[in-house]
PDB file of all heavy atoms in Angstrom:
ATOM      1  N   VAL A  64      24.506  17.004  33.522  1.00  0.00           N
ATOM      2  CA  VAL A  64      25.938  16.789  33.356  1.00  0.00           C
ATOM      3  C   VAL A  64      26.326  15.572  34.176  1.00  0.00           C
ATOM      4  O   VAL A  64      26.146  15.551  35.388  1.00  0.00           O
ATOM      5  CB  VAL A  64      26.742  18.026  33.822  1.00  0.00           C
ATOM      6  CG1 VAL A  64      28.232  17.761  33.675  1.00  0.00           C
ATOM      7  CG2 VAL A  64      26.332  19.251  33.042  1.00  0.00           C
ATOM      8  N   GLY A  65      26.798  14.553  33.494  1.00  0.00           N
ATOM      9  CA  GLY A  65      27.187  13.333  34.185  1.00  0.00           C
ATOM     10  C   GLY A  65      28.589  12.918  33.802  1.00  0.00           C
ATOM     11  O   GLY A  65      29.241  13.569  32.984  1.00  0.00           O
ATOM     12  N   PRO A  66      29.045  11.832  34.354  1.00  0.00           N
ATOM     13  CA  PRO A  66      30.393  11.360  34.088  1.00  0.00           C
ATOM     14  C   PRO A  66      30.632  10.955  32.639  1.00  0.00           C
ATOM     15  O   PRO A  66      31.744  11.000  32.166  1.00  0.00           O
ATOM     16  CB  PRO A  66      30.541  10.162  35.012  1.00  0.00           C
ATOM     17  CG  PRO A  66      29.530  10.389  36.077  1.00  0.00           C
ATOM     18  CD  PRO A  66      28.394  11.088  35.411  1.00  0.00           C
ATOM     19  N   THR A  67      29.585  10.528  31.923  1.00  0.00           N
ATOM     20  CA  THR A  67      29.757  10.151  30.527  1.00  0.00           C
ATOM     21  C   THR A  67      29.688  11.411  29.680  1.00  0.00           C
ATOM     22  O   THR A  67      28.706  12.123  29.713  1.00  0.00           O
ATOM     23  CB  THR A  67      28.670   9.156  30.089  1.00  0.00           C
ATOM     24  OG1 THR A  67      28.783   7.996  30.884  1.00  0.00           O
ATOM     25  CG2 THR A  67      28.815   8.778  28.636  1.00  0.00           C
ATOM     26  N   THR A  68      30.723  11.676  28.921  1.00  0.00           N
ATOM     27  CA  THR A  68      30.752  12.915  28.160  1.00  0.00           C
ATOM     28  C   THR A  68      30.141  12.783  26.775  1.00  0.00           C
ATOM     29  O   THR A  68      29.684  13.756  26.220  1.00  0.00           O
ATOM     30  CB  THR A  68      32.193  13.430  28.013  1.00  0.00           C
ATOM     31  OG1 THR A  68      32.974  12.434  27.374  1.00  0.00           O
ATOM     32  CG2 THR A  68      32.780  13.776  29.364  1.00  0.00           C
ATOM     33  N   LEU A  69      30.140  11.619  26.195  1.00  0.00           N
ATOM     34  CA  LEU A  69      29.639  11.455  24.838  1.00  0.00           C
ATOM     35  C   LEU A  69      28.227  10.865  24.884  1.00  0.00           C
ATOM     36  O   LEU A  69      28.049   9.658  24.927  1.00  0.00           O
ATOM     37  CB  LEU A  69      30.575  10.550  24.035  1.00  0.00           C
ATOM     38  CG  LEU A  69      30.204  10.331  22.581  1.00  0.00           C
ATOM     39  CD1 LEU A  69      30.130  11.656  21.826  1.00  0.00           C
ATOM     40  CD2 LEU A  69      31.203   9.419  21.912  1.00  0.00           C
ATOM     41  N   VAL A  70      27.213  11.725  24.911  1.00  0.00           N
ATOM     42  CA  VAL A  70      25.817  11.279  24.932  1.00  0.00           C
ATOM     43  C   VAL A  70      25.332  11.158  23.496  1.00  0.00           C
ATOM     44  O   VAL A  70      25.424  12.102  22.716  1.00  0.00           O
ATOM     45  CB  VAL A  70      24.927  12.261  25.719  1.00  0.00           C
ATOM     46  CG1 VAL A  70      23.465  11.840  25.632  1.00  0.00           C
ATOM     47  CG2 VAL A  70      25.372  12.340  27.162  1.00  0.00           C
ATOM     48  N   GLU A  71      24.818   9.976  23.142  1.00  0.00           N
ATOM     49  CA  GLU A  71      24.353   9.732  21.779  1.00  0.00           C
ATOM     50  C   GLU A  71      22.898   9.325  21.710  1.00  0.00           C
ATOM     51  O   GLU A  71      22.355   9.188  20.614  1.00  0.00           O
ATOM     52  CB  GLU A  71      25.201   8.635  21.136  1.00  0.00           C
ATOM     53  CG  GLU A  71      26.630   9.058  20.948  1.00  0.00           C
ATOM     54  CD  GLU A  71      27.362   8.128  20.022  1.00  0.00           C
ATOM     55  OE1 GLU A  71      26.836   7.813  18.948  1.00  0.00           O
ATOM     56  OE2 GLU A  71      28.470   7.723  20.392  1.00  0.00           O
ATOM     57  N   ALA A  72      22.257   9.103  22.858  1.00  0.00           N
ATOM     58  CA  ALA A  72      20.873   8.644  22.840  1.00  0.00           C
ATOM     59  C   ALA A  72      20.153   9.146  24.077  1.00  0.00           C
ATOM     60  O   ALA A  72      20.745   9.230  25.155  1.00  0.00           O
ATOM     61  CB  ALA A  72      20.832   7.114  22.792  1.00  0.00           C
ATOM     62  N   VAL A  73      18.871   9.469  23.920  1.00  0.00           N
ATOM     63  CA  VAL A  73      18.042   9.891  25.044  1.00  0.00           C
ATOM     64  C   VAL A  73      16.692   9.194  24.957  1.00  0.00           C
ATOM     65  O   VAL A  73      16.230   8.824  23.887  1.00  0.00           O
ATOM     66  CB  VAL A  73      17.826  11.435  25.082  1.00  0.00           C
ATOM     67  CG1 VAL A  73      19.130  12.154  25.337  1.00  0.00           C
ATOM     68  CG2 VAL A  73      17.162  11.939  23.816  1.00  0.00           C
ATOM     69  N   ALA A  74      16.076   9.005  26.115  1.00  0.00           N
ATOM     70  CA  ALA A  74      14.712   8.471  26.206  1.00  0.00           C
ATOM     71  C   ALA A  74      14.103   9.072  27.463  1.00  0.00           C
ATOM     72  O   ALA A  74      14.809   9.538  28.354  1.00  0.00           O
ATOM     73  CB  ALA A  74      14.716   6.942  26.279  1.00  0.00           C
ATOM     74  N   ILE A  75      12.771   9.033  27.530  1.00  0.00           N
ATOM     75  CA  ILE A  75      12.061   9.601  28.678  1.00  0.00           C
ATOM     76  C   ILE A  75      10.992   8.611  29.109  1.00  0.00           C
ATOM     77  O   ILE A  75      10.384   7.940  28.272  1.00  0.00           O
ATOM     78  CB  ILE A  75      11.459  10.978  28.320  1.00  0.00           C
ATOM     79  CG1 ILE A  75      10.900  11.681  29.550  1.00  0.00           C
ATOM     80  CG2 ILE A  75      10.460  10.877  27.200  1.00  0.00           C
ATOM     81  CD1 ILE A  75      10.556  13.140  29.308  1.00  0.00           C
ATOM     82  N   SER A  76      10.782   8.516  30.413  1.00  0.00           N
ATOM     83  CA  SER A  76       9.738   7.618  30.914  1.00  0.00           C
ATOM     84  C   SER A  76       8.367   8.182  30.551  1.00  0.00           C
ATOM     85  O   SER A  76       8.219   9.371  30.273  1.00  0.00           O
ATOM     86  CB  SER A  76       9.865   7.433  32.425  1.00  0.00           C
ATOM     87  OG  SER A  76       9.663   8.651  33.104  1.00  0.00           O
ATOM     88  N   ALA A  77       7.377   7.323  30.571  1.00  0.00           N
ATOM     89  CA  ALA A  77       6.023   7.719  30.180  1.00  0.00           C
ATOM     90  C   ALA A  77       5.505   8.888  31.009  1.00  0.00           C
ATOM     91  O   ALA A  77       4.800   9.756  30.496  1.00  0.00           O
ATOM     92  CB  ALA A  77       5.076   6.521  30.295  1.00  0.00           C
ATOM     93  N   ASP A  78       5.870   8.945  32.283  1.00  0.00           N
ATOM     94  CA  ASP A  78       5.376  10.008  33.160  1.00  0.00           C
ATOM     95  C   ASP A  78       6.319  11.212  33.247  1.00  0.00           C
ATOM     96  O   ASP A  78       6.037  12.176  33.955  1.00  0.00           O
ATOM     97  CB  ASP A  78       5.120   9.465  34.562  1.00  0.00           C
ATOM     98  CG  ASP A  78       6.352   8.855  35.202  1.00  0.00           C
ATOM     99  OD1 ASP A  78       7.467   9.000  34.650  1.00  0.00           O
ATOM    100  OD2 ASP A  78       6.206   8.228  36.262  1.00  0.00           O
ATOM    101  N   GLY A  79       7.433  11.180  32.547  1.00  0.00           N
ATOM    102  CA  GLY A  79       8.373  12.300  32.553  1.00  0.00           C
ATOM    103  C   GLY A  79       9.239  12.393  33.801  1.00  0.00           C
ATOM    104  O   GLY A  79       9.988  13.346  33.953  1.00  0.00           O
ATOM    105  N   ARG A  80       9.161  11.403  34.693  1.00  0.00           N
ATOM    106  CA  ARG A  80       9.956  11.456  35.928  1.00  0.00           C
ATOM    107  C   ARG A  80      11.421  11.100  35.716  1.00  0.00           C
ATOM    108  O   ARG A  80      12.279  11.567  36.438  1.00  0.00           O
ATOM    109  CB  ARG A  80       9.378  10.510  36.975  1.00  0.00           C
ATOM    110  CG  ARG A  80       8.091  10.990  37.569  1.00  0.00           C
ATOM    111  CD  ARG A  80       7.555  10.073  38.648  1.00  0.00           C
ATOM    112  NE  ARG A  80       8.585   9.282  39.297  1.00  0.00           N
ATOM    113  CZ  ARG A  80       8.355   8.125  39.895  1.00  0.00           C
ATOM    114  NH1 ARG A  80       7.145   7.625  39.932  1.00  0.00           N
ATOM    115  NH2 ARG A  80       9.326   7.463  40.464  1.00  0.00           N
ATOM    116  N   TRP A  81      11.688  10.223  34.751  1.00  0.00           N
ATOM    117  CA  TRP A  81      13.042   9.743  34.523  1.00  0.00           C
ATOM    118  C   TRP A  81      13.465  10.003  33.093  1.00  0.00           C
ATOM    119  O   TRP A  81      12.670   9.921  32.167  1.00  0.00           O
ATOM    120  CB  TRP A  81      13.156   8.247  34.771  1.00  0.00           C
ATOM    121  CG  TRP A  81      12.810   7.804  36.143  1.00  0.00           C
ATOM    122  CD1 TRP A  81      13.137   8.428  37.322  1.00  0.00           C
ATOM    123  CD2 TRP A  81      12.077   6.650  36.505  1.00  0.00           C
ATOM    124  NE1 TRP A  81      12.655   7.714  38.379  1.00  0.00           N
ATOM    125  CE2 TRP A  81      11.995   6.613  37.907  1.00  0.00           C
ATOM    126  CE3 TRP A  81      11.492   5.632  35.789  1.00  0.00           C
ATOM    127  CZ2 TRP A  81      11.353   5.596  38.593  1.00  0.00           C
ATOM    128  CZ3 TRP A  81      10.847   4.622  36.475  1.00  0.00           C
ATOM    129  CH2 TRP A  81      10.787   4.618  37.856  1.00  0.00           C
ATOM    130  N   VAL A  82      14.737  10.261  32.927  1.00  0.00           N
ATOM    131  CA  VAL A  82      15.343  10.383  31.607  1.00  0.00           C
ATOM    132  C   VAL A  82      16.500   9.400  31.542  1.00  0.00           C
ATOM    133  O   VAL A  82      17.212   9.199  32.531  1.00  0.00           O
ATOM    134  CB  VAL A  82      15.833  11.828  31.361  1.00  0.00           C
ATOM    135  CG1 VAL A  82      16.774  11.908  30.182  1.00  0.00           C
ATOM    136  CG2 VAL A  82      14.652  12.758  31.155  1.00  0.00           C
ATOM    137  N   LEU A  83      16.664   8.777  30.395  1.00  0.00           N
ATOM    138  CA  LEU A  83      17.803   7.904  30.132  1.00  0.00           C
ATOM    139  C   LEU A  83      18.754   8.616  29.191  1.00  0.00           C
ATOM    140  O   LEU A  83      18.305   9.259  28.240  1.00  0.00           O
ATOM    141  CB  LEU A  83      17.368   6.631  29.407  1.00  0.00           C
ATOM    142  CG  LEU A  83      16.666   5.547  30.159  1.00  0.00           C
ATOM    143  CD1 LEU A  83      16.295   4.421  29.199  1.00  0.00           C
ATOM    144  CD2 LEU A  83      17.520   5.007  31.266  1.00  0.00           C
ATOM    145  N   THR A  84      20.040   8.499  29.452  1.00  0.00           N
ATOM    146  CA  THR A  84      21.031   8.931  28.480  1.00  0.00           C
ATOM    147  C   THR A  84      21.968   7.758  28.231  1.00  0.00           C
ATOM    148  O   THR A  84      22.279   6.998  29.142  1.00  0.00           O
ATOM    149  CB  THR A  84      21.844  10.153  28.963  1.00  0.00           C
ATOM    150  OG1 THR A  84      22.527   9.837  30.172  1.00  0.00           O
ATOM    151  CG2 THR A  84      20.950  11.355  29.177  1.00  0.00           C
ATOM    152  N   GLY A  85      22.352   7.608  27.002  1.00  0.00           N
ATOM    153  CA  GLY A  85      23.278   6.547  26.640  1.00  0.00           C
ATOM    154  C   GLY A  85      24.386   7.125  25.803  1.00  0.00           C
ATOM    155  O   GLY A  85      24.173   8.046  25.016  1.00  0.00           O
TER     156      GLY A  85
END
Side-chain angles (χ1 to χ4, degrees):
V64 178
T67 299
T68 58
L69 182 58
V70 175
E71 294 194 48
V73 295
I75 189 168
S76 63
D78 58 10
R80 288 182 25 205
W81 300 319
V82 165
L83 285 178
T84 60

